[in-house]
Amino acid sequence: MAILKEAYKALETIVGARYLSDDPVICQGYQSGPAGYENGTGYERVMTKLPGAVILPRSTEEVQKIVKICVRYTIPYVPYSTGFYGPRSHCHVGNELLIDLKRLNDFEFDEKHWYATVGSGVVYSQFQEECLRRGGYVVIGGGGAQASVIANLIGDGWSPLSHRIGLPHRRILGTEMVLPDGEILRMGSLAVGDDWYWGDGIGPDLRGLLRGYTGLRGCLGIVTRMAVKVLPFQPERLQPTGISPNTALALPEKRVKWINYIMPSKEAQVKAMYEICKAEIGGAVTKVPLFWRAIAKAECKEEFWDLWLKETPETVANFHIVRVLLIGFTSEEQLTYDENVLSDIMMELGGQPRRTKPSDESWIKNADSAGMWLMCGSYVSVDYVIETLKQATEHGPVYAELKKKYTPPLMPDHGDPGWFQTFELGYQGYSEFLIYWDQDEDTTGVDHFYLETSKMNIDHRFYTALIGPHQPLYLTGPKYGPNYHEWMLKIKNEFDPTWTCHPPVPFAHDEFVERAPWMHELKTWESPKKSIYPKWLEKQLAAEAREFRESLQERK
Amino acid sequence: MPTTKVNLETTDLNNYKYDMSRCIKCKGCYWVEHTYMPGVKFSTRCPSNVWNDFDAYGAFGKMRIGHAMVEKKLDWSPKLLEIIYADPLCGACDVACKRNLDLEIGLSLEAMRVKAVQDGVGPMPAHKKIARNIAASHNCFGSEHGDRKGWLTPDIQVAAKADLLYFVGCTASYTNPEIARATAKILNATGTPFMLMEDEWCCGNTLQSVGMLDEARELARRNIDRVKSTGARRVLLSCAEGYRMWKVEYPKLLNIATADLPFEVVHLTELADELLRQGSLRMTRPVNARVTYHDSCSISRLADPWTPWSGERGWMGTVSPPLKRRRGTHGLYAQPRNVISNIPGIDFVEMIRIRENAFCCGAGRGTKEAFPTLASSSARHRLEEVKEIGAEVLVSACPWCKNNFAQAVREDGEAVKVMDFAELILASLEA
Amino acid sequence: MKHKDELAKIVGRENVSDAEDVVLRYSRDLSLVPPGRPELVVWPTNAEQVSDILKWSNKHNIPAVPVSSGIHFNGGAVPRQGGVVLDLSKMNRVLEIDQDIKQVRIEAGVTWGQLTAELAKQDMRVIMPLAPHADRSVLSDFLDREVPTNTVYDYGEPMQAFEVVWPTGDIFRLGSASVNGYPDSGSHGGNPSGPGIDFYRFVQGAQGTMGVVTWTNLKIVHGTKKDKVFFAPVDDLAYAQEFLYRLLPRRVGQEVVLLNQTDLAALVAENFPGDFERLRATLPPWTLVIVISGLARRPEEKIAYEVKFLQELVKNEFRGLTVDEALPGFPGLGSRMLPLLRNPWPADGPYWKNRWQGASQSLFFIARPEETPRFVEIVESIAPQYGYPVADIGSYIQPIEHNRACQVEFTFFYDRKDEACIAALYMDAARALVGEGALFTRPYGDLAPMVYERAASYVSGLKRVKKIFDPNNIMNPGNLCF
């Protein structure tokens, strides 16, 4: 069954034939896998579908009309900006309409008031360059230079630059959103006029609907335009140099400078971070995993493995780096001040400076996660948590311990405990744990590890990114809040009573566990006794689950 | 650990299954590399996906489509052929991917075309016509073979025997004689003796590009043999596409390395740079204009030398023996710029997207013939950039670029003058 | 009596009252918002009691109005439709102070006076709005988005993870405090966001309509080691704003405020009317105050580079401005100003805004700094229509976030007998300002309908969310758009 002809015609009148297609080849181009973030996992194989049709609107008004038609004809739809965020931002049910937002690429900059208004199709490297040119900067999230600014800001939105800039939530200003039922919601200063510069709500703040700690992955409406706060940087040019693949930004050394310190112990490493935050210096303060250095050094995959397999659990355990970016926001003298303070701290703690290149390859304009796929082909940042430095520095080793059980198929990493860094001058600490594997191997272990980490976080009472649509909702729901999932579902039902907006998210991971026989042994939580879906979706999901079972039988 | 035998032959799409299955949709192949990203304007690098916005037209979409082809999940259809062929194979995606992931995007795209030909559905009708022309009259245009040297004027001295052989190519021979003449006059003016091929045939660029490898291979063999028989030590090209054919595709078609060719392949841009450094190229006549340079794909990011490789892929996708990836680093980026900026009076201004990040004119490798709207949309897009930087003269080193830009300029009544590199050099030489 | 008995079962008889004097005390505040008489006042001492009270309210459909501070200026806590006032002042524990992660956890009833004293013992402080009343609840003020005087931090928003009792009575911990068993957990409450969605946003600026926040984690900062206070007399507000547009993005200064002569005089005067009138008559039209501080390490060096930038900026680009450690003619102002910026206003006397005339009403909103001269003009053109002297208007501009925006506050100082006239002036000025683009993100009292009538889609969204958390509309009904 394809999308109803009548509905298709109606959609075509909105955007014109050029920007709507149900051709199977066009739809194939929007496949989630086989590779990419979180692809090659069971979730991707079981839960993603090719779109039934793809539409490319140009404006908020067009998006609104499309959504209204979808609601009228009960056509499931998913918003899609750059499609980088793996399976969770792709179609999950048959005959779904993929709304590709790349043509919403308007951009305006208000230099005096430090913000820019961006459409969903604007990507980070574009935005960062526009900022740098004006003496400002933003955080390019781990998703990288080519990720949609809006999608990233309502999903993730941090990097080592968050040491100053902080939580992404605070940078979301005036925002325009098409709610799942087709109503337009304008937030911040936009709520009362035509001005985008301010983010707070008039009274309570409905920016709460945009995301949680991590994002909703498109199941609660479509953000079409957003004003994003820009932070003042410094006036000197960061000069691009080199020919691909060896390109970098040459830093104006009196204004911007990376310094790496090797610390004698983890205690000294952590203490250094606290002291830097107490002194309120720096533009980024981070530990980095040892294998990033191997990635940076290696010219190709094979060279990486040559380098990496020479390391041992001891070298990894004894690698205590603190990487600090100094920025002379005020002046060259400020950079000197920061550097003096940093030297004092390091002197006290026995930190040894290492030669550091006067360039930036990774963080200012890039946040280059694409390189993360080089080693194995598949990669996911399994957890990425903003909490406090206390949690951040203790979280990784617990992950590393659990991971041993699942290596292989996970990449041999000599027990690397992930990395941590500071946010908001130390009010938050961030930890991230990455896993790598080859998708051509049996990935059951990957699926299991992913879910087990969620249980591990619950047991250790850690905060985690693995909540909301990222793990089974009924596994995490009762354990956080408690029962945040019930509120979330009430909100979903209020704004999307037909569940046409990216179904069955936020319940998709629960659905995956139900469908995938290899996940059943891990199911230790209660699911709702009654279906939480409207009838049409319940029916469709049941049929698709049946289809999946049959396909498994056939393969056997 | 089980391993798979694999090589770089584009005759088997399976060779690229791994690459196609590892595309992560980061879209680095669509956007200008972040380091050089100029902001919201002029920020893309893919003519195909700029022409048509659906993901299927970007390399990330095509990798998924190619993978589905290998998996036999997609049937041939006019749309599939359009997606595969509406693409100048400019290499922008390939070098972008190889900054991070080392996937063989360019070769995957070529292999999809080869498969289309193998399956009897490709190439496009316009390409078939070119193939018929080449077969009948040894040039792309179906012009009289006997007129091939019609560009030669009496004032040009051609040596009967020289180290340097100028391979003129179809365009400079027939549609753009001004380029051939300018090239020859530069050689004469610098005292560089050159010879011509006695019976020059098409280089086979379109054939190779659209997947007609057997026909292209036949031309490669013939052309190489003919050069060998002249004893030339260097083959000079004024056409970028020809340069790529001789330097990269011929070795690829014949499964040899570029280094194994019994002669060196040079493009006029690098020869001119060499002559300038030696002091024999004396550009003394001022050219008082604001000039910009367009990197033609085939002498820039597509120009890394070819080395055949076959081996095994094993654990974590690693290959052995070592594979030297072609990342577009050996393109002729510095040479043309050095020459142009040494012309007296010239106000040389760079475009916003340059070198490996340049935006292709959209004409090459069979695109203009089969998808003229793609070619014209790309040219217009690039001309916007020319206007943005305020250049009066747009110089490229490929007749395909020149013609495509010139047509757009003509149709839109733009005030930009389009010139070939050879013409600009000639203009700077004393009469 | 039935209600009182039932509530007494929840909080204990000593923590519930319907005594006339008590009820009257909660029926109005120092604002112009009309009084509303509660039936009862209860003093819960923990979240479970708050929860039980709200469940009781739902059962009986009786409004519940949370109050945390001992004094109120804006009418947000006036029980417009009666019901029960939940006074959280007995929940006033400072639960944890952690210097490493620069965080304190406080209950709703903790006041500015209490918190600053407690933090000072550990050489810590909290960034604060301009001279908050010592009896105000810190949590309430930040929940209410009171704007701090400190402009240098990129990240704003001092509140971290907190606990809220939803209007339904469900106790909920959000952000990273949502983990099971918090605070006995690996997580320490440093992230307000999530879980699932950003619940914390719904409670902000809600004036007690979206739930009762019982405790919060809050950012604190280490004490400064050395401070220098700079003053610049300002005649031309637009010129001063251009200066701030250049200065503040370069991250110079800690506290930065811009006050007109009436506000500054009202703030610093040692006695009324003598000192106040003398100051008001002689102070420049506006005074820009910039505090430059040395922090934990190398304090002199830090001050030196900031001062250098400041002085060079004045010398090279703003010669029309004199920035100095002394305001000419007002010796010792620096040493008077700094404690005012770093401490709450003492509770043992009238609030600074009420010292002169006995009462005051402030009108405040968010604006672009470049628009402030226009807004000043608007208010100055309306005040005389009500016989209110222009010179009596207090004006305070608080730059926010490197001066990308500011809060503008006009204060009408008045005698209680003139309340009706001031109320009319206040509303008229507000109407004119709203019409000209002033952004009232905290619309108290009668400002709410004025602002919300311009925000149809937003109001609809608010009501839909409110319905989820407060299906019976028992939380502070009649307030905002609910």
Side-chain angles (χ1 to χ4, degrees), chain B residues 270-281 334-335 338-339:
Chain B
E270 59 187 324
L271 182 67
D273 183 51
E274 191 182 304
L275 296 171
L276 178 71
R277 287 171 200 278
Q278 288 166 1
S280 48
L281 176 61
Q335 297 87 334
N338 185 43
V339 175

Side-chain angles (χ1 to χ4, degrees), chain C residues 57 61 95 178 182 238 242 439 481:
Chain C
S57 287
N61 245 311
L95 298 164
S178 66
Y182 179 89
E242 287 309 315
L439 182 64
C481 58

Side-chain angles (χ1 to χ4, degrees), chain A residues 258-301:
Chain A
W258 277 108
I259 311 183
N260 295 336
Y261 283 92
I262 297 296
M263 308 304 294
S265 64
K266 181 168 174 183
E267 291 67 38
Q269 181 186 36
V270 174
K271 176 82 174 154
M273 289 192 178
Y274 281 129
E275 287 300 317
I276 289 167
C277 293
K278 183 177 174 183
E280 300 188 12
I281 59 161
V285 181
T286 182
K287 177 211 162 175
V288 289
L290 187 56
F291 62 80
W292 287 10
R293 206 163 61 171
I295 294 178
K297 275 189 188 168
E299 201 180 290
C300 60
K301 180 193 288 232

Side-chain angles (χ1 to χ4, degrees), chain A residues 233-273:
Chain A
F233 188 44
Q234 55 77 46
E236 304 279 332
R237 176 91 181 133
L238 275 53
Q239 195 60 44
T241 55
I243 292 175
S244 179
N246 301 310
T247 56
L249 292 172
L251 301 176
E253 269 202 275
K254 290 183 174 172
R255 279 315 263 263
V256 187
K257 193 175 194 175
W258 277 108
I259 311 183
N260 295 336
Y261 283 92
I262 297 296
M263 308 304 294
S265 64
K266 181 168 174 183
E267 291 67 38
Q269 181 186 36
V270 174
K271 176 82 174 154
M273 289 192 178

Side-chain angles (χ1 to χ4, degrees), chain C residues 31-348:
Chain C
S31 74
L32 296 165
V33 168
R37 186 187 161 90
E39 181 190 342
L40 288 160
V41 178
V42 289
W43 288 268
T45 52
N46 58 47
E48 288 69 28
Q49 291 182 357
V50 173
S51 163
D52 287 345
I53 297 164
L54 294 182
K55 283 176 185 161
W56 177 88
S57 287
N58 274 289
K59 191 171 155 198
H60 299 285
N61 245 311
I62 291 174
V65 180
V67 168
S68 303
S69 300
I71 188 163
H72 299 87
F73 299 101
N74 299 315
V78 173
R80 295 168 156 239
Q81 298 181 9
V84 179
V85 164
L86 282 76
D87 185 334
L88 306 178
S89 58
K90 290 191 178 174
M91 293 171 68
N92 62 349
R93 288 175 301 166
V94 175
L95 298 164
E96 299 167 66
I97 299 175
D98 190 320
Q99 292 199 17
D100 277 344
I101 56 172
K102 301 191 283 187
Q103 187 172 284
V104 62
R105 190 157 66 93
I106 53 168
E107 289 187 318
V110 171
T111 61
W112 286 105
Q114 189 187 347
L115 181 63
T116 47
E118 204 59 43
L119 292 178
K121 291 178 195 163
Q122 302 195 25
D123 192 27
M124 301 296 287
R125 64 194 177 103
V126 58
I127 57 170
M128 55 173 62
L130 179 61
H133 192 285
D135 280 351
R136 289 281 308 156
S137 150
V138 177
L139 185 151
S140 280
D141 276 354
F142 281 131
L143 209 52
D144 237 7
R145 307 194 193 105
E146 286 285 357
V147 180
T149 53
N150 191 307
T151 64
V152 76
Y153 297 116
D154 291 351
Y155 34 75
E157 301 195 301
M159 283 176 76
Q160 306 271 59
F162 55 81
E163 179 182 80
V164 58
V165 183
W166 294 123
T168 51
D170 292 286
I171 300 173
F172 190 76
R173 290 168 179 188
L174 51 73
S176 64
S178 66
V179 300
N180 205 13
Y182 179 89
D184 176 17
S185 55
S187 170
H188 303 274
N191 181 355
S193 178
I197 59 166
D198 277 345
F199 295 99
Y200 77 105
R201 289 285 188 212
F202 299 148
V203 204
Q204 289 175 330
Q207 298 178 23
T209 60
M210 291 296 294
V212 180
V213 179
T214 51
W215 51 254
T216 187
N217 286 290
L218 194 71
K219 293 172 180 172
I220 50 176
V221 280
H222 288 274
T224 60
K225 296 292 174 229
K226 200 173 177 188
D227 304 283
K228 281 192 173 188
V229 185
F230 286 83
F231 296 94
V234 171
D235 291 328
D236 180 350
L237 179 57
Y239 189 70
Q241 290 291 19
E242 287 309 315
F243 176 68
L244 291 175
Y245 275 122
R246 279 286 285 120
L247 180 73
L248 297 186
R250 298 267 69 91
R251 293 174 172 78
V252 171
Q254 291 275 320
E255 293 88 349
V256 180
V257 297
L258 188 52
L259 295 154
N260 80 348
Q261 70 269 67
T262 306
D263 254 3
L264 183 55
L267 187 67
V268 301
E270 281 170 352
N271 56 64
F272 285 81
D275 191 30
F276 169 75
E277 288 300 356
R278 185 187 62 78
L279 280 164
R280 191 156 75 110
T282 48
L283 279 167
W286 293 85
T287 302
L288 174 62
V289 184
I290 303 166
V291 182
I292 292 182
S293 303
L295 305 183
R297 289 174 183 265
R298 297 182 180 251
E300 288 82 9
E301 267 179 57
K302 180 161 177 64
I303 290 178
Y305 82 72
E306 289 195 29
V307 170
K308 185 178 175 208
F309 182 88
L310 173 71
Q311 288 171 342
E312 281 180 2
L313 181 66
V314 171
K315 193 173 122 203
N316 298 331
E317 296 176 42
F318 291 90
R319 285 179 174 269
L321 211 61
T322 309
V323 184
D324 210 331
E325 285 187 69
L327 188 65
F330 301 90
L333 191 58
S335 53
R336 270 155 86 187
M337 200 65 205
L338 192 62
L340 286 169
L341 291 170
R342 295 267 166 91
N343 291 292
W345 189 266
D348 57 3

